[in-house]
Amino acid sequence: MSHDFLEVDDLSPAELAAVLDAAAAGKASPEAIDPVLADRGVALLFEKPSARTRVSSEMAVVALGGHPVYLRADDVGIDTRETAEDIARTLASYCSLIAARVFRHGVLDRIAGAVDIPVVNLLSDRGHPCQALADLLTLQELFGALEGRRLAYVGDGNNVAASLAFGAALTGLELTLSSPPGYELDDEDVDRARNLGGIIDLVADPNEAVKGADAIYTDVWTSMGDEHEADVRREAFAGWQVDARLMGLAGPDAYFLHCLPAHRGEEVTAEVLEGPASVVWQQAENRMHVARALFAHVHGNIR
Ligand code: CP
Ligand code: NVA
């Protein structure tokens, strides 16, 4: 049976809770982590740059006793040197898990379809589910139970927003999304999150969206691969910057989240990013803890 993790809702609510619990347990007691990937290879394939995802994944594999093999897309030539399927089959003959960051989500689907070993999405154009796990762990550390808490996502309705919506739906976290016209999360993703039981509100005005929120989240206005749209987007997103005024509308206890990398002066001011409400470094650290728990889970060995 396949244990792919291409989106957060590949986990049931109970599995998601178990992964978050295992991540928290490993964070609290690293000495108790089971080396469930001992003598196993994990292929980490990247078509795009990465700091957090690459290093947190590598260190997660090391903590589980395994050996991470980092590959840039250029090294293997996905669909240029050989097909994604042929690369996947080859990697599966050496490794017990493939994790990949790709431009087109369809490439991940093809990799997953070609092999029996688990495949993990390390970011695609459609989702960033490992990030959402870290975000949920961070919010759980801050709030305890997520049920009934409200997160306001202000910015691009992109891959990060999609995975957050699915993660929120599975944990009872309420999510308010506010994006400039034309940059909203796809209807299909909103419906999918709602069908999972999610309370997802779409609020055009960011000032309204953040009122009473327990936390505000944003991401870059221009994602990797969309750089040619940067100027147009900078203009379209101008009213969606998270600054001290917007944080103030949420209330004095609201936290600020960002998956990073951040562009100070664009989607967030330096004041907010560096301010007391910001938990971005906690989120970044948690990438490693959730990656470790997730890799153990998809390998069938969460304990
Ligand atoms: N948040 C995140 O995925 O960061 P990287 O792109 O540096 O991996
Ligand atoms: N939405 C961003 C997230 C980076 C971690 C991107 O896809 O580039």
Side-chain angles (χ1 to χ4, degrees):
M1 187 190 144
S2 167
H3 295 282
D4 296 330
F5 181 73
L6 302 189
E7 194 39 88
V8 181
D9 58 355
D10 283 332
L11 300 176
S12 68
E15 288 172 329
L16 174 54
V19 166
L20 296 179
D21 283 352
K27 182 174 181 177
S29 309
E31 71 288 347
I33 294 167
D34 268 353
V36 298
L37 290 180
D39 303 323
R40 307 274 184 166
V42 173
L44 302 170
L45 179 56
F46 283 77
E47 287 189 330
K48 307 184 192 186
S50 170
R52 282 148 289 275
T53 307
R54 177 190 173 173
V55 181
S56 63
S57 297
E58 287 205 23
M59 296 313 293
V61 173
V62 169
L64 295 170
H67 182 84
V69 183
Y70 173 73
L71 295 157
R72 278 298 300 218
D74 286 353
D75 299 333
V76 288
I78 300 173
D79 291 333
T80 53
R81 191 164 182 268
E82 57 186 325
T83 65
E85 288 85 352
D86 288 358
I87 292 167
R89 285 189 200 109
T90 304
L91 294 177
S93 67
Y94 314 126
C95 295
S96 297
L97 201 160
I98 298 174
R101 167 169 285 196
V102 299
F103 282 101
R104 285 163 292 120
H105 192 85
V107 171
L108 271 177
D109 289 329
R110 287 170 53 208
I111 291 173
V115 297
D116 289 332
I117 62 170
V119 175
V120 169
N121 179 2
L122 296 181
L123 183 148
S124 73
D125 54 341
R126 296 249 306 275
H128 196 3
C130 293
Q131 180 66 51
L133 295 184
D135 303 335
L136 294 171
L137 177 61
T138 304
L139 291 168
Q140 217 167 264
E141 288 172 340
L142 297 170
F143 298 134
L146 298 184
E147 189 120 30
R149 293 286 183 170
R150 193 161 69 81
L151 176 66
Y153 179 96
V154 174
D156 194 14
N158 60 13
N159 46 6
V160 168
S163 293
L164 261 181
F166 306 137
L170 296 179
T171 54
L173 176 69
E174 295 173 19
L175 183 65
T176 304
L177 295 165
S178 180
S179 307
Y183 296 97
E184 298 95 343
L185 186 61
D186 288 349
D187 290 344
E188 200 183 302
D189 287 330
V190 173
D191 290 346
R192 180 167 156 184
R194 286 180 175 155
N195 287 336
L196 291 167
I199 300 176
I200 313 286
D201 288 323
L202 309 176
V203 177
D205 181 354
N207 301 300
E208 287 302 318
V210 302
K211 274 188 191 148
D214 295 296
I216 298 179
Y217 197 121
T218 194
D219 182 17
V220 290
W221 290 341
T222 302
S223 285
M224 291 180 278
D226 294 335
E227 287 80 2
H228 57 285
E229 297 176 10
D231 289 343
V232 177
R233 284 172 168 270
R234 218 169 276 127
E235 219 165 289
F237 282 85
W240 276 259
Q241 183 185 67
V242 180
D243 56 12
R245 186 196 61 81
L246 199 74
M247 288 299 300
L249 292 178
D253 298 328
Y255 292 102
F256 172 74
L257 288 87
H258 192 311
C259 56
L260 304 177
H263 295 110
R264 292 166 175 80
E266 290 197 11
E267 75 277 2
V268 60
T269 60
E271 184 186 9
V272 170
L273 190 77
E274 308 288 356
S278 174
V279 293
V280 300
W281 306 114
Q282 189 177 339
Q283 279 175 275
E285 180 188 336
N286 282 340
R287 291 295 309 275
M288 179 175 69
H289 301 298
V290 296
R292 192 180 56 238
L294 178 73
F295 293 164
H297 172 77
V298 295
H299 190 252
N301 283 298
I302 199 164
R303 296 179 211 194

